[in-house]
Amino acid sequence: MNLTVTPVRGLCGELTIPGDKSISHRAVMLGALADGETTVTNFLPGEDCLSTVQCFRALGVDIKHANRTTVRLCGRGRHGLQEPADVLDAGNSGTTMRLLLGILAGQPFFSVVTGDASLRRRPMGRVTRPLAEMGALLLGRDGANYAPIAVVGRRLRGFSYRLPVASAQLKSALLLAGLFADGPVRVTEPLPSRDHTERMLSAFGALVHRDGLTVTITPSRLQGRDIAVPGDISSAAFLIVAALITPESDLVLRGVGVNPTRTGLLDVLNRMGAAITLSETRMSGSEPVADLRVRSSALRGTVVDGALIPRLIDEIPVLAVAAAFADGETVIRDAAELRVKESDRLTTVCQELTKLGADIRETPDGLIIRGTGRLQGGRCQSHGDHRIAMAVVVAGLAAARETVLEDPDCIDISFPGFTEALKSVCLE
Ligand code: S3P
């Protein structure tokens, strides 16, 4: 079924954003490895996080849904996972596969992890190489670069490792492997990436220490606890941009995670002239959250590069939509990582926004968008990529004519209820 998007005058009212995807994954993983019970509230019931739940059930963990967004886990302790009877399926989720590989590398059993066609095309060598250096045996196509990956877990050695890319998934995989090592694991990132794993490991009682760009974990036990997941700023991003580029918006988003490693989009949009204000900033466990108020704004083009990129890596498709509605040129560079996401997002965002009338071109590591202040509307594809799908919908809300999106079901990967949330605040 296709999704038809008709232009709207604005987004008004209040919304609570579903739980953060990255934090929901980690809550299940650490809860599974902890001693005692963990209850996760505002868990994201998106397909990616449900893949994580299924994988840990297959590893012997008792996980119950009290309702769609409350999950109770009986932790099995660091040494309590069981050999899975079958192949573990990470679905579309890179976070599930990469973090799981870190955990499986330290288990005294054999396992195999696979995923859907998109995930089987994404590079895993960045994770399997350092895990092999720690002592695990990992096999897969092209030197264990592509799933399915078979893992013969071993007692791991502590080590120091310099990450070749600013990837929180890679950093997290190695920190999780560090729980099973015989000494400290020290990882140094080229630029700061999201730090949810470090924060949550500390909250579960692990010995984690940060010194500049280096994080060290000393093998430690975890103690189960309750986690209240903040709203996902990467999901809020679609509503924020939709509100900015439609003319009569005044939208409040409650309880959005504002961890500084994730707020690059807010910094860039503010620089572009966006009227976004934060209030009621507070802590939800180890993560900061705030209420955001967003009003229609005239945006200006800008340059986005360097240390900003890891802080808004998932928001670049929707930032490109904002840039198309801005006055002047926006240049995004240092973002070659986008080529190995759920789709090659530099190509797919360029293709789909071009169909809607945008003046956009891709470079090897970024995008150049000449803002014209308007888009025409048209017929687009999602490429099975949830963030491309939602970026197209946002563009369609502010376009001159109707937009049709083919293959929209992938939106459920990270934002179940996206179209209903939009309908509840859109002014026809
Ligand atoms: C994620 C990290 C990012 C991000 C992904 C989720 C995570 O990937 O794109 O959606 O939960 O750690 P990389 O760390 O590989 O850039």
Side-chain angles (χ1 to χ4, degrees):
M1 268 251 292
N2 297 335
L3 181 65
T4 303
V5 186
T6 40
V8 300
R9 286 187 287 126
L11 280 71
C12 281
E14 279 191 23
L15 272 178
T16 305
I17 297 295
D20 187 277
K21 181 160 77 74
S22 293
I23 297 173
S24 296
H25 283 300
R26 286 155 172 83
V28 170
M29 293 183 183
L30 296 196
L33 295 172
D35 294 315
E37 286 195 10
T38 290
T39 299
V40 188
T41 49
N42 201 33
F43 173 80
L44 172 68
E47 286 170 13
D48 272 8
C49 297
L50 297 176
S51 294
T52 293
V53 166
Q54 278 312 111
C55 288
F56 279 84
R57 280 192 178 133
L59 290 161
V61 185
D62 178 12
I63 308 177
K64 289 198 172 62
H65 279 274
N67 53 53
R68 260 169 73 75
T69 58
T70 304
V71 176
R72 286 192 219 290
L73 296 104
C74 287
R76 296 192 60 96
R78 255 192 314 165
H79 303 293
L81 297 182
Q82 290 169 1
E83 184 170 86
D86 202 348
V87 171
L88 300 169
D89 186 358
N92 190 246
S93 173
T95 307
T96 307
M97 182 171 287
R98 294 197 176 109
L99 274 58
L100 190 55
L101 285 171
I103 293 169
L104 295 174
Q107 304 306 314
F109 53 68
F110 172 74
S111 53
V112 181
V113 192
T114 193
D116 69 8
S118 152
L119 189 53
R120 293 195 309 271
R121 281 193 296 268
R122 296 178 64 187
M124 294 298 143
R126 55 177 65 183
V127 178
T128 58
R129 271 190 300 274
L131 290 175
E133 221 177 283
M134 291 178 77
L137 177 61
L138 299 112
L139 299 168
R141 293 194 325 271
D142 192 21
N145 197 25
Y146 296 105
I149 306 273
V151 186
V152 180
R154 297 265 171 80
R155 182 74 199 266
L156 303 175
R157 289 185 288 276
F159 78 148
S160 295
Y161 190 74
R162 200 168 271 281
L163 309 186
V165 280
S167 160
Q169 294 182 353
L170 169 53
K171 173 179 64 176
S172 302
L174 301 182
L175 293 176
L176 292 174
L179 290 172
F180 307 99
D182 63 4
V185 166
R186 190 167 291 121
V187 292
T188 302
E189 351 183 41
L191 293 169
S193 65
R194 64 190 68 189
D195 64 358
H196 306 302
T197 304
E198 299 91 298
R199 285 176 187 248
M200 204 184 289
L201 277 167
S202 290
F204 274 80
L207 300 169
V208 187
H209 172 73
R210 174 177 283 276
D211 182 10
L213 291 170
T214 300
V215 186
T216 306
I217 182 162
T218 306
S220 27
R221 8 187 326 263
L222 307 177
Q223 184 57 49
R225 51 164 294 146
D226 294 346
I227 299 281
V229 180
D232 196 328
I233 192 166
S234 297
S235 299
F238 297 100
L239 292 141
I240 293 170
V241 172
L244 290 172
I245 62 177
T246 48
E248 295 175 39
S249 298
D250 190 349
L251 181 67
V252 174
L253 304 174
R254 300 242 179 248
V256 180
V258 287
N259 177 319
T261 61
R262 296 283 299 280
T263 48
L265 180 76
L266 301 183
D267 295 348
V268 171
L269 289 173
N270 279 327
R271 202 206 286 158
M272 292 172 80
I276 304 175
T277 50
L278 267 66
S279 62
E280 306 286 329
T281 305
R282 55 208 183 262
M283 291 303 281
S284 171
S286 45
E287 295 281 346
V289 298
D291 297 341
L292 269 52
R293 181 175 178 200
V294 189
R295 280 165 292 163
S296 316
S297 304
L299 302 176
R300 300 179 291 276
T302 189
V303 176
V304 185
D305 61 5
L308 262 173
I309 298 295
R311 296 181 55 232
L312 48 60
I313 189 74
D314 292 338
E315 286 67 76
I316 291 175
V318 79
L319 178 59
V321 175
F325 282 92
D327 179 20
E329 191 175 81
T330 295
V331 178
I332 300 171
R333 51 187 179 229
D334 304 327
E337 270 296 287
L338 286 195
R339 297 209 180 272
V340 291
K341 294 293 179 189
E342 286 83 332
S343 66
D344 176 341
R345 287 184 176 159
L346 295 179
T347 297
T348 51
V349 85
C350 202
Q351 272 177 12
E352 299 313 312
L353 294 190
T354 301
K355 290 177 190 166
L356 297 179
D359 182 347
I360 176 169
R361 69 189 165 83
E362 60 179 298
T363 64
D365 70 343
L367 297 166
I368 300 176
I369 305 124
R370 269 212 300 128
T372 52
R374 70 195 126 79
L375 290 179
Q376 297 309 318
R379 195 175 183 91
C380 291
Q381 274 134 31
S382 70
H383 300 265
D385 183 331
H386 52 128
R387 299 203 197 280
I388 298 299
M390 288 185 276
V392 165
V393 172
V394 170
L397 291 174
R401 294 191 319 268
E402 191 175 274
T403 294
V404 174
L405 173 65
E406 294 176 9
D407 191 17
D409 293 350
C410 54
I411 289 172
D412 288 348
I413 286 169
S414 66
F415 199 157
F418 174 65
T419 48
E420 293 75 8
L422 272 178
K423 277 184 197 140
S424 72
V425 290
C426 277
L427 302 174
E428 304 277 318

